Amino acid sequence: MAILAGYISLTKQPDPEMIRQLSRVFAEYPTEQLQRFACPQGVLLQYDFDAYHQPAWLQNETQFATLIGHPLLTHDRQADLVTLANAAANRPQVLHSCEGVFCLAHFDRLQPKLTVATDPLGLRPFYWMPYQSGYLFSSRLSLFKQLNLPLTTNTDALCELATLGYTLLDHTPYTEVRCAYPGEIITISAEGFHTERYFDWTALANRTVPFEEALCGVDQAFQQVFAKTTQGSERALTTLSGGLDSRLIACEMLRRKMPFKAFNFSQQQSQDLDCAQIFAEQNQIDLEVIQVRDTQAHSVEQKIGHYWRRLAHPDYDSVTRPQLAWSGNGGSVGMGLIYFSDKVYRAAKTQNLETLIHAYLEQQFAYLPQSVVNHARHLQNRLIDNLKQAFAPLRTLPLEKAYQLFLFLNDQHHHLSLPAEHIAEYQMEFFHPFYSWKVLQYPLSQPVEKVRKHAFYHAWLKQSYPNALKSPWQAYPGHLPCPIALENNASSQSQWQFKRRQLVPLSDILSSWLTVIRFSRHNLIKKAPFTLLCLMHLLGVKNALTQLNTAKQFTQW
């Protein structure tokens, strides 16, 4: 399941030109993989490449419903869709039971009424905007750019993307377009537009579970979500890096005696490669290594889509569902609690939000470069104001716990945004067990002192997956170190030691420069200073990656 979009007007006749525009966008996809639901109030369109080998389309005389992703109420997506569609009276409660990565659309033909909902973390969100007398919505943000719409730049969102890597609140790069919140239900009817949060993360964060009980709980929750997703699979596909997240997935597959194919995408002479290979050799794992020049240039989803699907890998047909892979995405934040340095922790313990925000910005190097950004100081202050707004719903929690939840609802919330935008290109779906709220509730139930630096994570592995700790792994700087030395290749580097300035191709820098020079939608970039910085970067006089990244974020939308 890839992309879902629609246009609904319940008070006046929908604009036929917008319906035609949406239809033209979806006409780019193969006809046999398109679904269309039309009614007097508008249209819903879906592109589905059937990665799950389980349909998710329900249409009859009273209702229409469909899904992106998998709610994981059960192992069966179609059964889950029927349950959600028929739960009009208690839909919030049923949605609360879901632990997958998904979004839902349901249209009641009798009322009429449209309901859309995101998963508890909003990892596959809806983007929406009012249009004429109705509403446009899409699971893919870039679709709005493809339509003939009067979109204007949301400066706050661009600054958030350039500094934090994600947007805050309901921001998108377009002022008119909004992003659904985690665990949100949006209802559009003749009475108007209504939103409701069905998932209360703050209440969950207030819950305290004894440490040993939490270790048993997280283990049980992880195995239960695994059982739902592996049912019906005889051979699986997964990633295997040098870290712990993908290793834990491999350990659970080994425990279940499930055959699987694993990919590693890493650079030469890297700890990521060496650790993955040692673990694979010890456990007789079918690991294929794809060496890349820059591990950050493309998402792992894009890389698997290219090397596995587009290049017609010879093992492709040996996997039960070859367009559905496992990913350890989310484990480092949710379980390992990265981005919680000692300085940030001390700032949070002061219970002063302003102190914490400044420590967080410093940790993330989240500052707009005044050398290339017009009004950088004012925009930086706007960023701080928006961070304060993002913390406002969490004010009943101790600040260190509020910060842990802030990372869940912001950094985690947007972790899959980039892969979702390109999903039509790589045509792969993924299971993400670390995003299950039933798994996340246990590290969230602990004092942050017991979770930071992978402490809770290591205790869980030591108790339930000791095999994961028998060979070296790549540990995060400042976190619990790996006690096993990399004896075979002491010269290998961690991913944090590679100098990215040397990895950026000349063509990328020239492309960024040309984009900025030609860009005219806004005047946020100082073009002459940016040109000079590009030249200095190429000559090796100055590392201008920060300025290059800022310019990219300010111009790509």
Side-chain angles (χ1 to χ4, degrees), residues 337 339-352 355-356 359-360 363 399-401 403-404 447-453:
L337 205 51
Y339 309 136
F340 213 136
S341 65
D342 289 340
K343 189 167 185 177
V344 166
Y345 173 70
R346 289 192 298 269
K349 293 297 284 186
T350 68
Q351 305 304 317
N352 184 302
T355 301
L356 172 61
Y360 175 61
Q363 173 189 260
L399 195 52
E400 67 275 16
K401 181 59 66 174
Y403 177 69
Q404 182 183 12
V448 296
E449 295 82 0
K450 294 185 177 182
V451 182
R452 285 178 63 233
K453 303 184 177 183

Side-chain angles (χ1 to χ4, degrees), residues 288-327:
E288 185 166 338
V289 175
I290 307 296
Q291 293 191 343
V292 295
R293 190 172 185 272
D294 183 357
T295 59
Q296 305 301 312
H298 298 94
S299 69
V300 69
E301 291 85 356
Q302 289 172 301
K303 285 180 271 196
I304 285 188
H306 177 74
Y307 288 101
W308 173 249
R309 192 192 64 80
R310 291 182 63 186
L311 295 185
H313 195 282
D315 289 344
Y316 187 86
D317 292 330
S318 70
V319 171
T320 308
R321 291 180 282 187
Q323 288 176 274
L324 184 60
W326 285 80
S327 170

Side-chain angles (χ1 to χ4, degrees), residues 139-428:
S139 61
R140 185 168 177 251
L141 176 61
S142 53
L143 177 137
F144 293 90
K145 190 167 59 173
Q146 296 177 266
L147 304 173
N148 185 22
L149 295 167
L151 300 176
T152 56
T153 297
N154 184 336
T155 304
D156 285 354
L158 296 185
C159 293
E160 291 154 11
L161 287 168
T163 54
L164 305 175
Y166 53 82
T167 57
L168 298 167
L169 307 169
D170 61 353
H171 295 168
T172 76
Y174 307 116
T175 306
E176 297 77 13
V177 182
R178 294 301 186 196
C179 178
Y181 283 97
E184 184 170 56
I185 301 172
I186 298 173
T187 304
I188 302 169
S189 67
E191 284 73 41
F193 183 94
H194 175 72
T195 64
E196 173 188 1
R197 306 280 184 90
Y198 70 83
F199 201 95
D200 189 347
W201 282 97
T202 304
L204 201 62
N206 272 314
R207 179 170 168 258
T208 301
V209 177
F211 189 78
E212 294 301 324
E213 184 181 328
L215 289 180
C216 293
V218 73
D219 189 54
Q220 184 178 24
F222 186 80
Q223 293 191 30
Q224 285 177 347
V225 72
F226 219 97
K228 291 178 186 178
T229 49
T230 53
Q231 189 165 333
S233 293
E234 296 180 2
R235 190 167 191 251
L237 177 69
T238 186
T239 58
L240 182 62
S241 70
L244 291 175
D245 303 329
S246 58
R247 180 176 296 192
L248 175 54
I249 289 172
C251 283
E252 179 61 19
M253 287 185 178
L254 291 168
R255 191 186 70 80
R256 291 174 179 270
K257 296 181 171 57
M258 170 173 280
F260 62 95
K261 171 80 176 181
F263 276 104
N264 173 274
F265 300 93
S266 56
Q267 294 164 254
Q268 292 182 349
Q269 293 187 310
S270 67
Q271 290 181 11
D272 186 85
L273 172 59
D274 292 341
C275 292
Q277 286 183 320
I278 293 170
F279 178 77
E281 289 169 5
Q282 287 185 357
N283 294 279
Q284 292 82 51
I285 292 172
D286 179 9
L287 176 66
E288 185 166 338
V289 175
I290 307 296
Q291 293 191 343
V292 295
R293 190 172 185 272
D294 183 357
T295 59
Q296 305 301 312
H298 298 94
S299 69
V300 69
E301 291 85 356
Q302 289 172 301
K303 285 180 271 196
I304 285 188
H306 177 74
Y307 288 101
W308 173 249
R309 192 192 64 80
R310 291 182 63 186
L311 295 185
H313 195 282
D315 289 344
Y316 187 86
D317 292 330
S318 70
V319 171
T320 308
R321 291 180 282 187
Q323 288 176 274
L324 184 60
W326 285 80
S327 170
N329 203 334
S332 57
V333 175
M335 295 298 306
L337 205 51
I338 62 171
Y339 309 136
F340 213 136
S341 65
D342 289 340
K343 189 167 185 177
V344 166
Y345 173 70
R346 289 192 298 269
K349 293 297 284 186
T350 68
Q351 305 304 317
N352 184 302
L353 179 58
E354 191 121 3
T355 301
L356 172 61
I357 286 174
H358 284 288
Y360 175 61
L361 292 174
E362 183 178 340
Q363 173 189 260
Q364 303 303 110
F365 304 102
Y367 301 104
L368 293 166
Q370 297 185 38
S371 56
V372 296
V373 177
N374 283 311
H375 316 297
R377 195 165 295 174
H378 168 73
L379 295 174
Q380 189 75 29
N381 288 333
R382 287 284 305 160
L383 173 63
I384 293 170
D385 290 341
N386 286 323
L387 280 165
K388 290 177 180 178
Q389 287 188 53
F391 271 95
L394 314 177
R395 57 182 173 271
T396 60
L397 297 169
L399 195 52
E400 67 275 16
K401 181 59 66 174
Y403 177 69
Q404 182 183 12
L405 193 51
F406 166 83
L407 292 176
F408 282 18
L409 300 179
N410 291 275
D411 182 275
Q412 293 284 66
H413 168 43
H414 290 287
H415 251 200
L416 302 182
S417 295
L418 180 61
E421 287 301 305
H422 299 286
I423 194 169
E425 300 165 19
Y426 59 79
Q427 294 185 19
M428 295 287 298

